[in-house]
Amino acid sequence: MSDKYVLDADARRALLATPGGWIACGFGSGLVPKAQGTMGSLAAILPWLLLRQLPMPVYLLVIIAGFAMGIWACNVAGRAIGVADHRSVVWDEFIGQWLALLPALLTPWWTVILGFVLFRIFDITKPWPIGWLDRRIKGGLGVMLDDVVAGLFAAIVLAFVLHFS
């Protein structure tokens, strides 16, 4: 039996049986036994290293497309495992992390670390309106939306740090 914290073998097989499940679990990064969100956020940095080479309009289109794809994938994953927002579903962390790293596109390496930490802080603590969105909006949109807002908050704080440093 799977719950929000434990993904049993049958649920893991059901999740990985669909392309949406693979995407939702961050291509396997969400299947670690602990700290799935942190591992998903770390895994998101690898494709970000390629994405950061794109022109800004294309980068933003990738985020928008990734968000839309994430709504679908998270819905598929939720149905497959019977838990709407299971910890193994980390595609929302990918999109949130990519948003958080917007100010780090043309800056020193340490800003990537700070952007990662800021995103994790906002994603874990869920200050208003992030927590409100997390509680009120369900399904794939709800899974994705709170992390998008956490990523935007992290990006704003990172931009302020960069501006004043």
Side-chain angles (χ1 to χ4, degrees):
M1 166 97 180
S2 290
D3 61 26
K4 188 173 176 101
Y5 303 102
V6 178
L7 194 62
D8 66 21
D10 289 338
R12 185 182 292 249
R13 277 191 291 281
L15 180 64
L16 298 178
T18 67
W22 272 99
I23 293 165
C25 74
F27 307 104
S29 62
L31 299 177
V32 298
K34 300 223 185 254
Q36 294 91 340
T38 299
M39 292 308 296
S41 296
L42 277 173
I45 293 173
L46 292 174
W48 178 82
L49 293 171
L50 297 173
L51 293 173
R52 69 185 278 189
Q53 306 301 317
L54 298 172
M56 182 59 73
V58 177
Y59 182 92
L60 294 174
L61 281 174
V62 168
I63 290 175
I64 291 166
F67 176 77
M69 184 175 63
I71 293 170
W72 165 77
C74 292
N75 278 327
V76 167
R79 283 193 306 272
I81 60 178
V83 180
D85 191 3
H86 193 274
R87 288 181 175 207
S88 64
V89 174
V90 296
W91 185 252
D92 50 332
E93 270 79 18
F94 275 64
I95 301 303
Q97 189 65 71
W98 294 346
L99 284 167
L101 293 176
L102 270 168
L105 289 173
L106 302 172
T107 57
W109 64 269
W110 61 266
T111 59
V112 176
I113 296 169
L114 182 56
F116 169 80
V117 169
L118 287 168
F119 173 67
R120 292 309 301 146
I121 289 170
F122 283 113
D123 189 30
I124 291 167
T125 62
K126 298 192 184 311
W128 190 90
I130 300 166
W132 183 86
L133 290 167
D134 186 48
R135 289 186 303 277
R136 299 273 191 307
I137 302 175
K138 301 301 176 194
L141 178 62
V143 172
M144 295 297 299
L145 197 55
D146 67 307
D147 284 64
V148 164
V149 176
L152 291 173
F153 279 24
I156 291 167
V157 172
L158 182 58
F160 273 111
V161 169
L162 289 169
H163 179 74
F164 292 109
S165 65

